Amino acid sequence: SVVLILFRTLLSSYRIEMERFADEADVVIVGGGPAGLSAAIRLKQLANEQEKELRVCLVEKASQIGAHTLSGACLEPSSLNELIPDWKERGAPLNTPVTEDVFSILTEKYRIPVPILPGLPMVNHGNYIVRLGNFVRWLGEQAEELGVELYPGYAASEVLFHEDGSVKGVATNDVGIAKDGSPKDVFERGMELHAKVTIFGEGCHGHLAKQLYKHFNLRENCEPQTYAIGLKEVWMIDEKKWRPGRVEHSVGWPLNRNTYGGSFLYHLNEGEPLVALGLVVGLDYTNPYLSPFREFQRWKHHPFVAPTLEGGHRIAYGARALNEGGLQSIPKLTFPGGLLIGCSPGFMNVPKIKGTHTAMKSGMLAAETIFAKVTAEDVESETAGLHVPEYAEALKSSWVWKELHAVRNIRPSFHNYFGLYGGMIYTGIFYWIFRGKEPWTLKHCGLDAHQLKPAKDCTPIEYPKPDGKISFDLLSSVALSGTNHEGDQPPHLTLKDDSVPVNRNLAVFDGPEQRFCPAGVYEYVPLESGDGMRLQINAQNCVHCKTCDIKDPSQNINWVVPEGGGGPAYNGM
């Protein structure tokens, strides 16, 4: 065994000393979602229009473009119309224009209909119900046609810096490493991608963005980001109950008035009777006994929801965190050598429950400002990596900023004694009547991780057992996500201190990780000695939602990228 340890040590040091292959591009984009692909497309459109050579490379950790994308999704097509005006002729998968809008307040047994007045954020006339993963895949095809180099299955794991401190590019992680850190037979060193400008569009709570926030102090002048978790299923239902184009939203039950959240149920028109449904729960909830997954399963039994699902069957499941901080929580967006776009900094319009159109526009604005700088013959730069502060200026002058400013107070207005109902009254008065022109800006409550109350001060929640027809258990749900990770690799869910889960999270909060995770990754199990408990991490179940990194009350869990290609394999989620 001593010989084996020495052999592994030698192999590990050999791996560290092996030089990474480095490649040069004009612009490198991290993340193949709507924002990253829109930036890539716009860059190549401009280059082709002006007959300039411009190399654009995009890396995406999912095995295929769109395989990690999950959203409702009701798409507002404004940015798409601008980016690709002939999208219909090009076969964009926007097959379901919204034909009917329904909004409700749910009690345990009843539904209170709420009229959707013109001008309210929930009006969906002119929007499309989409399977966002399919739309993202189509965007990838448009990008490749224009000459963008796409690299799915490559996880950017490290930000690289020039000697002057500016961003130089990114490195992908090494693959073929065993759990103990030794190289396996299939070992490959990661590669470096260097660029004049690197665009970070990793999506909500990005792994590299977290590092950039600290390195450049980007969150110095904004509030902490606040988040929600969105859980989603796709069902095949009885054709008699299928109403293509119908959009249903609700607030209220099963959540109490002080827990922010709501549901959606969308009838797709894709040649078969499909519905997409889900529950969004604000991660600033206070009761450690709350389980977003089990609230979602319980919601499906409501008398207004269950009839749609009865006789149908579930074909997909997934979950993802989403930004809810709005304007107050947007960090500084640019720094020498790079910038942030899309859901990474967080441009979601929370009352609309839409962020794709704003994410796409941020990518387009980033492309336009970068292109002008990268191709300028007389550009002067104080740093090796180009700084593009013009991007933030362009964004603040755009409709994105105006839209987010108008709704900035709606989400924090729910922090009042009346909770949901107080927030709805505020929205009615100050948004519908005054269009967000009130001269004040409300604050959020701080980090979501700090909102949990001790378990002794809270009432445990009794959830009904799943019936296997409308509601289901966690592990059978995760199986529908197609999630898979190479088993023998270093853990991507890391603990800063192994003693914290039992000594604090379990002792004070009764182990909330085992409830807020939507994939059964965390469970407390007895020690083999029978004396006490330990936290078991089933990392292979992880659907990359990032909830654990956000909601852990001790901020002890650090989510890092696993090997590229691992994680969920969503098919049009």
Side-chain angles (χ1 to χ4, degrees):
S1 62
V2 173
V3 174
L4 185 62
I5 290 166
L6 285 169
F7 177 65
R8 283 175 174 166
T9 305
L10 284 168
L11 280 174
S12 296
S13 61
Y14 169 70
R15 170 169 65 88
I16 291 161
E17 288 164 15
M18 275 178 69
E19 202 168 317
R20 286 190 289 219
F21 173 73
D23 203 358
E24 297 277 345
D26 293 295
V27 181
V28 166
I29 301 170
V30 180
L37 288 165
S38 296
I41 288 167
R42 188 72 191 117
L43 279 165
K44 291 302 282 187
Q45 284 175 341
L46 291 165
N48 295 347
E49 284 165 17
Q50 298 184 29
E51 298 182 342
K52 298 261 178 98
E53 280 292 318
L54 190 78
R55 187 176 181 211
V56 180
C57 297
L58 182 150
V59 292
E60 163 58 42
K61 65 183 173 66
S63 58
Q64 296 178 319
I65 298 293
H68 285 180
T69 300
L70 183 142
S71 183
C74 204
L75 177 71
E76 189 172 309
S78 48
S79 296
L80 178 60
N81 290 335
E82 190 183 331
L83 182 65
I84 307 174
D86 60 344
W87 56 265
K88 284 185 183 175
E89 291 75 13
R90 289 177 166 274
L94 277 66
N95 306 314
T96 313
V98 175
T99 57
E100 191 182 356
D101 245 336
V102 177
F103 190 77
S104 314
I105 298 172
L106 301 183
T107 65
E108 189 170 352
K109 293 190 177 154
Y110 300 102
R111 166 187 175 252
I112 303 165
V114 177
I116 302 176
L117 301 171
L120 282 174
M122 300 305 295
V123 172
N124 281 295
H125 180 73
N127 296 335
Y128 291 82
I129 304 168
V130 298
R131 299 175 72 175
L132 196 66
N134 292 346
F135 174 66
V136 165
R137 187 164 62 231
W138 176 83
L139 280 178
E141 291 163 4
Q142 308 313 300
E144 280 194 307
E145 272 183 38
L146 289 164
V148 177
E149 297 175 38
L150 300 181
Y151 297 102
Y154 286 84
S157 62
E158 182 184 348
V159 182
L160 304 173
F161 297 95
H162 289 286
E163 286 183 9
D164 62 12
S166 61
V167 171
K168 185 179 186 179
V170 293
T172 63
N173 56 5
D174 298 340
V175 295
I177 303 172
K179 275 184 181 176
D180 62 6
S182 63
K184 297 187 285 190
D185 293 343
V186 292
F187 171 75
E188 281 184 30
R189 195 83 167 92
M191 68 178 288
E192 296 188 3
L193 282 167
H194 302 165
K196 295 168 185 170
V197 182
T198 305
I199 299 175
F200 294 88
E202 303 169 279
C204 176
H205 206 65
H207 159 65
L208 298 182
K210 281 194 306 180
Q211 299 172 32
L212 291 165
Y213 292 150
K214 288 180 182 173
H215 187 85
F216 291 108
N217 202 16
L218 301 177
R219 302 205 69 91
E220 182 181 17
N221 297 314
C222 70
E223 288 194 45
Q225 186 61 263
T226 183
Y227 301 88
I229 180 173
L231 304 107
K232 178 184 175 182
E233 294 176 352
V234 177
W235 281 61
M236 186 91 69
I237 61 166
D238 183 338
E239 199 158 348
K240 299 187 194 76
K241 301 170 183 178
W242 182 40
R243 299 171 73 167
R246 179 179 166 98
V247 164
E248 300 175 18
H249 290 106
S250 78
V251 294
W253 190 88
L255 304 176
N256 64 30
R257 73 173 192 269
N258 293 313
T259 303
Y260 188 85
S263 74
F264 63 90
L265 198 159
Y266 303 154
H267 292 248
L268 290 148
N269 189 10
E270 306 216 346
E272 48 189 358
L274 294 176
V275 295
L277 58 148
L279 184 72
V280 175
V281 180
L283 286 176
D284 55 355
Y285 68 81
T286 58
N287 187 343
Y289 292 109
L290 188 146
S291 161
F293 173 81
R294 297 185 76 176
E295 295 290 352
F296 176 36
Q297 298 306 311
R298 177 159 69 164
W299 166 78
K300 289 185 291 177
H301 285 279
H302 191 275
F304 183 61
V305 180
T308 302
L309 305 178
E310 284 164 358
H313 66 279
R314 188 176 65 149
I315 60 172
Y317 166 80
R320 187 73 172 91
L322 48 143
N323 301 295
E324 289 198 335
L327 199 74
Q328 296 91 316
S329 300
I330 295 173
K332 187 180 178 190
L333 298 167
T334 66
F335 39 89
L339 47 80
L340 302 165
I341 62 171
C343 288
S344 179
F347 299 125
M348 182 169 141
N349 182 327
V350 179
K352 269 189 179 180
I353 332 177
K354 290 176 185 60
T356 304
H357 64 303
T358 51
M360 289 177 70
K361 182 63 176 175
S362 73
M364 292 153 65
L365 290 169
E368 288 160 9
T369 50
I370 287 169
F371 181 79
K373 208 140 192 176
V374 166
T375 58
E377 290 175 13
D378 57 347
V379 65
E380 290 184 12
S381 177
E382 294 178 8
T383 52
L386 294 180
H387 190 199
V388 192
E390 295 85 352
Y391 160 60
E393 293 160 18
L395 198 67
K396 287 171 185 175
S397 302
S398 73
W399 57 260
V400 173
W401 212 260
K402 186 179 176 184
E403 184 176 311
L404 294 181
H405 184 268
V407 300
R408 70 194 182 284
N409 286 331
I410 293 180
R411 173 68 175 91
S413 74
F414 280 71
H415 293 295
N416 65 81
Y417 176 77
F418 300 104
L420 166 70
Y421 307 107
M424 291 180 74
I425 292 165
Y426 185 97
T427 302
I429 296 171
F430 290 103
Y431 183 79
W432 190 62
I433 298 173
F434 297 114
R435 287 291 179 270
K437 290 188 171 68
E438 63 267 35
W440 59 80
T441 296
L442 301 177
K443 290 192 169 185
H444 299 293
C445 287
L447 282 177
D448 293 337
H450 296 162
Q451 305 309 311
L452 283 182
K453 294 177 181 175
K456 66 181 176 57
D457 299 332
C458 298
T459 306
I461 301 172
E462 291 294 325
Y463 290 106
K465 284 187 178 177
D467 66 357
K469 295 174 183 174
I470 287 176
S471 52
F472 302 91
D473 66 89
L474 194 51
L475 293 182
S476 68
S477 300
V478 175
L480 289 177
S481 69
T483 297
N484 186 47
H485 294 89
E486 163 60 44
D488 188 14
Q489 65 171 306
H492 72 277
L493 298 160
T494 60
L495 299 177
K496 297 171 189 172
D497 182 338
D498 288 350
S499 69
V500 163
V502 170
N503 293 345
R504 183 166 191 264
N505 287 12
L506 185 62
V508 179
F509 302 103
D510 200 32
E513 319 75 331
Q514 55 196 338
R515 289 179 287 274
F516 60 57
C517 173
V521 169
Y522 302 96
E523 57 180 328
Y524 283 91
V525 297
L527 289 168
E528 288 175 9
S529 64
D531 182 26
M533 304 288 278
R534 66 177 178 86
L535 179 66
Q536 179 167 297
I537 301 178
N538 306 308
Q540 70 276 13
N541 288 5
C542 177
V543 294
H544 296 201
C545 74
K546 316 288 182 66
T547 304
C548 57
D549 196 307
I550 295 163
K551 189 61 176 171
D552 174 13
S554 303
Q555 287 297 276
N556 187 51
I557 298 170
N558 185 36
W559 193 101
V560 300
V561 286
E563 283 189 3
Y570 295 139
N571 180 14
M573 286 289 272

